[in-house]
Amino acid sequence: MMSGITAKDDKGAMKKYYIFLEILFYVVVPYLIWTNGREGLGDYWALLLSTAPGFAYTIVRFIVDREFNVTGIFILFSLLVGTVIDILSGSAERMLWNQVYLGVAFSFVYLLSMLIKKPLPLFFFIDVAFLQGYDRESSRKQFYRKELFKWFQLLTLMFVIRGLTLAGIKAWLLDRYGVDSYGTMLIYLRITGWVFAAVFIWFYLNIYKEIKRLTQPQPLQAITKENP
């Protein structure tokens, strides 16, 4: 029992450092590589190397958080496609524009999953429920109930909006300032990402609240009869 509590406490303590780690690996280290490596390596290689810390951090988080199945496949596929496109881009500006196009493409993947009524976040939640010991098929049936399904559709729509917003910010900065805007871009995108993260947390809390409400046993209705 004590070891379980300790493990849980350690995991909770680790999560407190996630924001710091994200700032470090997604903003600070890439920014330092970009600003200090441009002169010696050139824009393309400095930009390509600046993506390595975020890629490595995402892989480590993937292993630590133990995200599998649809969630894991989607994360690994996203990382693989993004990395291959970055390597094949050939120039820093082309790499950044390709990232814009890729962001729009993933937004349409979410939109398509919403239109065919198979929202990806619903399957992410099924994976989370499975890791907590719940049967996948039972979770799927539960999440497709009307009261919950509408929340998953709205959450998917938010992923679409988030993807298009981030792509739009990157495209605007690129069009206006070119590759030189990359340092500023890192900061803008991270702040925007945190704003959307707060919105997603609100959605997650409401979905968990609705799940809890639907899975709780209903109270027995009181039966009243008039005395004869």
Side-chain angles (χ1 to χ4, degrees), residues 88-146:
L88 297 179
S89 293
S91 70
E93 185 173 3
R94 175 50 53 193
M95 184 192 303
L96 291 172
W97 277 113
N98 284 342
Q99 290 174 1
V100 171
Y101 303 142
L102 185 61
V104 173
F106 276 117
S107 295
F108 277 102
V109 169
Y110 279 106
L111 180 61
L112 179 62
S113 75
M114 179 181 172
L115 294 177
I116 64 175
K117 300 188 183 303
K118 293 184 181 296
L120 281 172
L122 184 148
F123 294 95
F124 298 160
F125 266 75
I126 291 176
D127 289 341
V128 173
F130 178 75
L131 292 176
Q132 294 175 347
Y134 295 95
D135 178 69
R136 289 186 179 278
E137 184 60 25
S138 298
S139 297
R140 189 188 68 80
K141 291 179 179 178
Q142 183 74 22
F143 294 163
Y144 265 98
R145 292 177 63 173
K146 181 175 65 175

Side-chain angles (χ1 to χ4, degrees), residues 2-196:
M2 290 300 295
S3 60
I5 294 175
T6 302
K8 184 177 180 180
D9 290 343
D10 289 343
K11 189 173 182 180
M14 184 63 185
K15 289 183 177 180
K16 295 179 181 179
Y17 295 101
Y18 279 171
I19 294 179
F20 168 76
L21 292 173
E22 288 188 3
I23 294 174
L24 181 65
F25 289 105
Y26 289 137
V27 180
V28 176
V29 177
Y31 183 82
L32 290 174
I33 293 174
W34 166 249
T35 54
N36 293 289
R38 292 181 69 183
E39 185 175 349
L41 300 173
D43 287 351
Y44 173 65
W45 286 105
L47 184 59
L48 184 61
L49 286 176
S50 72
T51 64
F55 180 86
Y57 173 72
T58 303
I59 290 292
V60 172
R61 280 287 302 272
F62 173 81
I63 296 172
V64 171
D65 294 340
R66 298 181 180 181
E67 300 183 50
F68 299 105
N69 303 302
V70 174
T71 307
I73 291 172
F74 186 80
I75 292 174
L76 288 179
F77 177 77
S78 302
L79 290 172
L80 178 62
V81 171
T83 302
V84 170
I85 288 177
D86 286 347
I87 293 174
L88 297 179
S89 293
S91 70
E93 185 173 3
R94 175 50 53 193
M95 184 192 303
L96 291 172
W97 277 113
N98 284 342
Q99 290 174 1
V100 171
Y101 303 142
L102 185 61
V104 173
F106 276 117
S107 295
F108 277 102
V109 169
Y110 279 106
L111 180 61
L112 179 62
S113 75
M114 179 181 172
L115 294 177
I116 64 175
K117 300 188 183 303
K118 293 184 181 296
L120 281 172
L122 184 148
F123 294 95
F124 298 160
F125 266 75
I126 291 176
D127 289 341
V128 173
F130 178 75
L131 292 176
Q132 294 175 347
Y134 295 95
D135 178 69
R136 289 186 179 278
E137 184 60 25
S138 298
S139 297
R140 189 188 68 80
K141 291 179 179 178
Q142 183 74 22
F143 294 163
Y144 265 98
R145 292 177 63 173
K146 181 175 65 175
E147 299 91 339
L148 278 173
F149 186 73
K150 64 181 181 181
W151 280 102
F152 286 117
Q153 290 284 70
L154 288 172
L155 179 58
T156 306
L157 180 60
M158 286 307 306
F159 272 100
V160 175
I161 295 173
R162 173 185 177 274
L164 294 178
T165 300
L166 294 176
I169 292 173
K170 183 176 288 188
W172 176 74
L173 288 171
L174 266 175
D175 183 65
R176 191 173 180 87
Y177 303 108
V179 179
D180 290 335
S181 66
Y182 181 66
T184 305
M185 190 183 299
L186 289 171
I187 299 172
Y188 277 35
L189 294 179
R190 186 50 47 189
I191 293 174
T192 306
W194 288 335
V195 172
F196 276 101

